[in-house]
Amino acid sequence: MKGYQVKRVAIYPGSFDPVTNGHIDIVRRGRRLFDEIIVAILHNPNKKGLFSIDERMFMLKESMKGISGLSFDTFDGLLVDYANQSGANAILRGMRAVSDFEYEFQLALMNRKLNRHIQTVFLMTGLRWIFTSSSIIKEAAQFGGDITDMVPPVVNKKIIEKFKARKKS
Ligand code: PNS
């Protein structure tokens, strides 16, 4: 007998300041597990990033436009509340190395304590992206380092423009 299937929706939350190839890899692979993924940028007024939320959103959409089953949003407050309101039953996170583990473990356990119905699913980051992080990319780019292999072309362009503009001002 064929039962009806619940749509599997996951939230892929993050700062995405900016999106990297590692994030794109996680979303692509996550889509094999979930029917829909909501890529959600945390809007944290206390934490000023390099890029504005609008700039991050533009780069996210541009770099993921070839992937089906995605929607994009921003959120503030608790992630589990946002997941609940969005009809998502899972939180998708990428895990790079041992250094990520402690923070991710804490986050997952706290989220589970806050809402037991939402599961955190981890995907191991692809080996190619194991050393790729938004912060290390920003630091390298700031001092003229070549980051073309680690970010989508739109991010490479925007980050160069951003640091050029900062030097002028
Ligand atoms: O890309 P990041 O910065 O590692 O993403 C962190 C994020 C956005 C997943 C995390 O900071 C978050 O979920 N913040 C929202 C507040 C919240 O629910 N925190 C966890 C329970 S206290």
Side-chain angles (χ1 to χ4, degrees):
M1 197 177 72
K2 261 192 179 172
Y4 92 102
Q5 281 204 324
V6 177
K7 197 176 174 193
R8 294 161 308 172
V9 181
I11 304 283
Y12 183 48
S15 305
F16 302 112
D17 184 37
V19 57
T20 69
N21 286 348
H23 294 127
I24 298 170
D25 175 52
I26 295 294
V27 166
R28 259 189 225 289
R29 287 161 51 215
R31 272 287 283 119
R32 297 189 198 152
L33 302 174
F34 298 100
D35 301 308
E36 187 192 328
I37 296 178
I38 305 168
V39 184
I41 307 174
L42 171 68
H43 181 57
N44 182 353
N46 301 322
K47 203 175 144 192
K48 207 176 154 359
L50 175 65
F51 291 101
S52 71
I53 298 291
D54 286 349
E55 289 173 319
R56 294 182 216 180
M57 185 60 90
F58 172 77
M59 290 185 280
L60 265 179
K61 286 184 175 169
E62 192 62 23
S63 57
M64 294 187 185
K65 67 182 173 194
I67 310 172
S68 67
L70 301 185
S71 60
F72 299 88
D73 200 2
T74 60
F75 76 102
D76 52 20
L78 282 181
L79 174 60
V80 287
D81 291 345
Y82 171 71
N84 199 29
Q85 286 154 21
S86 320
N89 34 30
I91 293 165
L92 175 64
R93 292 286 288 170
M95 180 100 73
R96 279 169 307 199
V98 183
S99 50
D100 278 347
F101 181 79
E102 199 168 327
Y103 171 66
E104 292 299 334
F105 192 53
Q106 269 184 342
L107 198 66
L109 287 183
M110 179 53 89
N111 284 335
R112 185 163 161 71
K113 193 169 167 52
L114 295 170
N115 187 329
R116 295 186 71 77
H117 303 289
I118 295 169
Q119 307 302 328
T120 301
V121 174
F122 292 104
L123 286 179
M124 292 307 295
T125 295
L127 201 55
R128 281 181 73 188
W129 316 119
I130 212 92
F131 298 113
T132 302
S133 74
S134 300
S135 36
I136 208 89
I137 277 168
K138 283 184 280 193
E139 192 162 330
Q142 183 177 3
F143 300 111
D146 182 8
I147 53 157
T148 42
D149 284 355
M150 294 172 226
V151 291
V154 63
V155 173
N156 196 34
K157 184 170 168 275
K158 292 273 173 206
I159 212 163
I160 291 170
E161 283 171 10
K162 178 73 78 182
F163 285 123
K164 260 193 191 152
R166 281 199 166 185
K167 260 191 186 165
K168 275 186 194 156
S169 63

